[in-house]
């Protein structure tokens, strides 16, 4: 009761609520969850009792808990898969993904973080990326990563007896403690960065798609004084097993890059078959690179664009093979598969020919507008999920962490010393539309709160309106069903929502004071690579005589996360 009282900020808020004194979850959730639980807790308990019966019957039938698969690709606007009418306009076809959605759930309100790294951190930990400090988008030799103290869904499920694997684009750091096999996965095949890796090679340098990285290809610069400025060595793709050193796989050429997704898909299917035959429950994350930023001369989709070709001829065939494999092994009815994008399209500053664009919603990758964080998402679980559903409930990618833990019988292994943002959405998956347990989302732009969604209402906390937040007259309220592009803020019509949104934010930030945010970890990149080439080994060796410097040239690494974000970020960039 003390916890609830601390959160509410005024007894008047609780006067009409049926209070549930004991929280249903054994771990700490964000403040808003307790507001909802206080009003819906008894109904949820009754619903959970029925869900437990269904899950127990399934466990008895298969003698193990359900298998869990999470597929997450990049930068796709809502409707680019799963909605054939939009696909006709966009010039692509994904028959397997569309069948996947038709046989299960098509979500209309799946929210993510604004970019790749924060989205992947949130999915892995069940926590908003600001809590782990993983809001920086990792680039080449970023010298950062997710702290070992973070607890991933792989660690949670491992304790419940699951085999765990990660294959594809990790993008959660290039320091050793952040590697996925050091974050709970039994096996890992992973990249530390994003698709810009496809431009970090001689083909791209020769085409001016990358400028200045491959210095051995360029005429000598007679004015060059600093030989430490341009990156010299990195690891494009690595593999490792829990408790062992990592190894570089292949090299840094574009030819190797193009082999990453096929190899990751092959490993995922083999992992599934191996554990299915062994009778062991498994969790596997396959997060593909999707595409190369160097266009393929052989076009695939009608749009002839990089994104559409990646979806139609890379992701879609894999989804088809995956569904076929699960049916062949006889485990489809005991396997939940979630397939989704990690954030909205790269509509700002994209490489030529990318093909990413806004669809229904305004904004894209990097924006806290709906177009940046409201993504395509489907769920498939024959026999447990009723087919043909279009779900209107709000769900957030952090919810997968908690839901997977519930399904795997692993809730007791979720840490209790930090806030877990993910809400158990088992009821939504099994019982369908209107059975969700979330009606809100906090959307961060880097380390700053950019917007809050509550039901159909949204408030921008960062606004370019000069007669707005800065003057104390909040104007940035939006009614999303009538204004999905967030172009028409309403002041007079929705000013009654000022205090409710203020209360939400105050509760959220008070809880953050009680459970402070952590930070990403920094260090020498690509340590712990058993077969590291000399140029990677040299990353730990300053190419300078330290005695001639008045400071430690590696000291800057600890300051990287203090670089400021723009305090005046303008959501109108999505125009």
């Amino acid at each position: 009761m003390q916890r609830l009282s601390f959160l509410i900020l005024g007894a008047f808020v609780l006067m009409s609520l049926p209070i549930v004194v004991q929280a249903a979850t054994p771990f700490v959730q964000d403040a808003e969850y307790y507001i909802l639980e206080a009003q819906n807790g008894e109904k949820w308990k009754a619903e959970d009792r029925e869900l437990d019966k269904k899950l127990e019957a399934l466990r008895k039938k298969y003698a193990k808990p359900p298998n869990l698969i999470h597929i997450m690709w990049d930068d796709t606007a809502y409707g680019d898969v799963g909605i054939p009418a939009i696909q006709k306009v966009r010039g692509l076809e994904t028959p397997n993904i569309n069948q996947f959605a038709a046989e299960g759930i098509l979500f209309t309100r799946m929210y993510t973080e604004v970019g790749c790294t924060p989205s992947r951190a949130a999915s892995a930990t069940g926590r908003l990326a600001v809590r782990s400090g993983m809001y920086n988008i990792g680039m080449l030799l970023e010298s950062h990563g997710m702290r070992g103290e973070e607890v991933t869904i792989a660690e949670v499920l491992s304790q419940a007896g699951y085999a765990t694997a990660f294959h594809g684009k990790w993008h959660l750091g290039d320091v050793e403690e952040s590697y996925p096999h050091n974050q709970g996965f039994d096996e890992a095949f992973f990249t530390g960065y994003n698709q810009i890796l496809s431009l970090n090679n001689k083909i791209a340098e020769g085409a001016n798609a990358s400028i200045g990285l491959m210095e051995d290809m360029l005429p000598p610069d007679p004015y060059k004084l600093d030989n430490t400025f341009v990156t010299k060595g990195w690891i494009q793709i690595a593999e490792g097993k829990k408790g062992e050193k990592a190894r570089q796989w292949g090299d840094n050429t574009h030819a190797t890059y193009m082999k990453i997704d096929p190899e990751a898909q092959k490993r995922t299917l083999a992992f599934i078959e191996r554990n299915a035959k062994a009778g062991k429950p498994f969790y596997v994350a396959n997060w593909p690179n999707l595409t190369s930023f160097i266009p393929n001369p052989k076009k695939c989709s009608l749009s002839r664009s990089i994104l559409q070709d990646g979806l139609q001829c890379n992701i879609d065939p894999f989804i088809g093979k995956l569904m076929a494999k699960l049916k062949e092994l006889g485990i489809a009815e005991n396997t939940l598969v979630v397939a989704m994008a990690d954030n909205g399209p790269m509509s700002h500053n994209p490489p030529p020919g990318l093909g990413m664009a806004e669809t229904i919603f305004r904004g894209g990758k990097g924006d806290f507008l709906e177009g940046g964080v409201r993504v395509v998402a489907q769920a498939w679980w024959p026999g447990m999920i009723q087919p043909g559903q279009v779900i209107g409930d709000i769900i957030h990618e952090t919810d997968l962490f908690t839901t997977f833990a519930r399904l795997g019988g692993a809730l007791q292994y979720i840490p209790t010393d930090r806030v877990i943002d993910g809400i158990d959405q088992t009821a939504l998956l099994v019982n369908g539309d209107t059975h969700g347990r979330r009606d809100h989302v906090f959307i961060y732009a880097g380390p700053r709160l950019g917007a809050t969604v509550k039901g159909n209402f949204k408030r921008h906390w960062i606004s370019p309106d000069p007669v707005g937040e800065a003057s104390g007259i909040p104007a940035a309220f939006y009614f999303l069903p009538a204004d999905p592009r967030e172009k028409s803020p309403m002041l007079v019509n929705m000013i009654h929502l000022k205090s409710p949104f203020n209360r939400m934010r105050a509760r959220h930030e008070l809880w953050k004071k009680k459970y402070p945010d952590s930070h990403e970890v920094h260090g020498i990149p690509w340590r712990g690579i058993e077969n590291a080439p000399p140029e990677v080994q040299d990353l730990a060796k300053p190419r300078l005589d330290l005695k001639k410097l008045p400071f430690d040239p590696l000291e800057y690494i600890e300051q990287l996360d203090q670089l400021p974000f723009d305090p005046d970020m303008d959501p109108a960039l999505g125009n």
Side-chain angles (χ1 to χ4, degrees):
M1 192 66 186
Q2 288 180 347
R3 171 191 285 177
L4 204 53
S5 299
F6 169 79
L7 292 172
I8 299 307
L9 295 182
F12 72 92
V13 180
L14 289 178
M15 289 173 61
S16 62
L17 304 185
I19 301 301
V20 177
V21 176
Q22 179 61 47
T25 59
F27 47 86
V28 180
Q29 304 220 245
D30 197 15
E32 288 311 296
Y33 172 80
Y34 299 109
I35 301 297
L36 303 182
E37 186 193 48
Q39 301 167 78
N40 300 281
E42 293 300 331
K43 179 182 73 173
W44 290 349
K45 284 181 180 179
E47 193 172 40
D48 283 342
R49 285 192 288 270
E50 295 304 311
L51 289 170
D52 287 341
K53 291 177 184 177
K54 289 184 180 180
L55 293 172
E56 182 59 26
L58 190 72
R59 185 184 287 253
K60 285 182 178 178
K61 179 178 179 180
Y62 288 94
K64 62 178 183 176
N67 308 304
L68 304 163
I69 301 174
H70 185 208
I71 303 166
M72 186 164 67
W73 62 86
D74 276 79
D75 302 11
T76 303
Y78 180 81
D80 271 354
V81 299
I83 303 180
I86 293 179
Q87 291 187 303
K88 282 288 185 185
V89 175
R90 298 279 286 131
L92 79 156
E93 297 177 352
T94 57
N96 293 302
I97 300 177
N98 293 2
Q99 178 188 346
F100 180 96
E103 292 180 2
I105 287 173
L106 177 65
F107 294 104
T108 64
R109 299 196 73 182
M110 170 67 86
Y111 283 88
T112 65
E113 300 267 8
V114 300
C116 307
T117 295
S119 192
R120 288 153 202 275
S123 293
T125 65
R127 288 154 50 80
L128 296 175
V130 71
R131 300 197 193 277
S132 61
M134 291 299 293
Y135 47 76
N136 289 296
I137 309 296
M139 299 297 176
L140 202 60
L141 295 195
E142 192 80 9
S143 306
H144 85 138
M146 192 162 68
R147 286 184 179 273
E149 288 86 351
E150 290 297 323
V151 176
T152 68
I153 186 61
E155 291 174 282
V156 170
L157 290 171
S158 290
Q159 293 185 77
Y162 274 69
T164 58
F166 180 87
H167 305 130
K169 177 185 167 183
W170 181 237
H171 205 185
L172 289 176
D174 54 15
V175 292
E176 190 172 3
E177 69 185 83
S178 71
Y179 302 163
H181 60 288
N182 294 331
Q183 291 278 355
F185 289 94
D186 295 331
E187 66 174 66
F189 178 74
F190 66 100
T191 63
Y193 311 119
N194 59 13
Q195 290 79 0
I196 294 177
L197 278 170
S198 65
L199 301 178
N200 299 148
N201 52 65
K202 292 189 174 183
I203 292 177
E205 188 74 54
N208 284 346
S210 178
I211 297 177
L213 180 62
M214 299 291 167
E215 292 185 296
D216 60 330
M217 294 179 61
L218 307 174
D221 181 354
Y223 307 105
K224 178 180 175 181
L225 299 176
D226 185 355
N227 196 41
T228 68
F229 185 68
V230 176
T231 298
K232 304 295 184 187
W234 63 92
I235 299 292
Q236 180 168 238
I237 178 78
E239 58 184 336
K241 294 183 177 180
K242 187 182 291 184
E244 298 180 8
K245 292 283 188 182
R247 291 183 60 83
Q248 182 177 17
W249 187 84
D251 53 25
N252 291 344
T253 63
H254 189 257
T256 291
Y257 178 89
M258 294 303 293
K259 295 175 183 176
I260 293 173
D261 277 359
E263 179 68 17
Q265 292 167 12
K266 183 174 109 177
R267 292 188 184 210
T268 292
L269 295 175
F271 174 83
I272 290 170
E273 184 159 3
R274 187 167 66 249
N275 284 286
K277 291 180 176 178
K280 189 175 177 70
F282 61 81
Y283 162 69
V284 59
N286 185 294
W287 296 353
N289 281 302
L290 173 65
T291 190
S292 164
F293 285 167
I294 296 179
N296 188 338
K298 185 178 179 181
K299 305 305 178 187
C300 168
S301 65
L302 185 63
S303 79
R304 59 181 285 120
S305 297
I306 294 173
L307 168 71
Q308 284 86 335
D309 282 5
L311 289 170
Q312 183 166 322
C313 292
N314 181 6
I315 307 301
D316 191 66
F318 173 59
I319 296 288
K321 291 176 185 176
L322 176 65
M323 290 193 295
K325 176 61 71 175
L326 295 172
K327 292 173 182 176
E328 172 197 322
L329 294 170
I331 60 171
E333 293 186 357
N334 197 39
T335 303
L336 167 63
V337 187
V338 177
M340 59 184 289
D342 65 348
N343 47 250
M346 190 178 180
S347 53
H348 308 308
N349 309 307
L354 185 60
M356 292 184 183
E358 299 173 6
T359 54
I360 298 171
F361 306 116
R362 183 164 69 100
K365 184 173 186 171
D367 290 324
F368 54 79
L369 299 166
E370 296 290 285
V373 295
R374 191 162 163 180
V375 301
V376 297
Q378 298 88 211
W380 183 84
W381 192 357
M384 289 296 281
I385 289 178
Q386 292 299 311
Q389 295 188 70
V390 179
I391 297 292
D393 299 77
I394 292 176
I395 184 171
H396 191 272
E397 62 185 332
T398 55
D399 297 345
L400 299 180
F401 175 95
T402 314
T403 305
F404 288 171
R406 160 78 181 281
L407 294 172
L411 287 175
Q412 67 270 32
Y413 302 118
I414 293 177
T416 58
D417 62 345
R418 65 200 68 186
V419 172
I420 301 297
D421 294 287
I423 293 172
D424 174 20
Q425 296 279 24
T426 304
L428 178 60
L429 294 175
V430 177
N431 295 340
D433 198 41
T434 74
H435 288 274
R437 298 186 180 182
R438 172 187 291 278
D439 68 350
H440 62 282
V441 180
F442 290 98
I443 305 170
Y444 276 82
R448 299 184 62 215
L449 184 61
T452 301
V453 174
K454 180 73 167 179
N456 288 322
F457 306 111
K458 186 171 184 177
R459 181 175 179 177
H460 291 182
W461 299 104
I462 300 171
S463 172
D465 189 347
V467 186
E469 299 292 345
S471 65
I473 306 174
F477 297 105
Y478 299 86
F479 183 58
L480 293 174
D483 184 19
R485 294 187 60 77
E486 296 164 82
K487 296 284 286 184
S488 303
M490 298 182 184
L491 173 58
V492 174
N493 318 60
M494 295 171 65
I495 194 63
H496 59 279
L497 297 177
K498 176 183 177 181
S499 290
F501 272 113
N502 284 350
R503 289 197 297 269
M504 282 184 70
R505 180 168 184 172
R507 288 190 292 257
H508 177 71
E509 293 184 350
L510 279 172
W511 216 225
K512 277 164 65 73
K513 286 183 179 179
K514 185 173 179 64
Y515 297 94
D517 295 338
S518 185
H519 299 281
E520 59 185 353
V521 66
H522 297 96
I524 304 299
W526 297 117
R527 279 183 164 173
I529 304 294
E530 195 172 55
N531 60 340
E535 61 270 21
V536 171
Q537 295 178 36
D538 288 345
L539 294 173
K541 305 171 186 175
R543 287 164 279 165
L544 299 164
D545 184 349
L546 301 186
K547 295 178 182 178
K548 295 181 179 179
L549 292 174
F551 56 85
D552 180 351
L554 298 180
E555 184 179 0
Y556 78 93
I557 289 176
E558 290 296 333
Q559 311 305 316
L560 289 177
D561 64 352
Q562 297 178 23
L563 297 179
F565 280 70
D566 181 1
D568 299 312
M569 286 175 287
D570 185 351
L573 279 172
N575 284 336

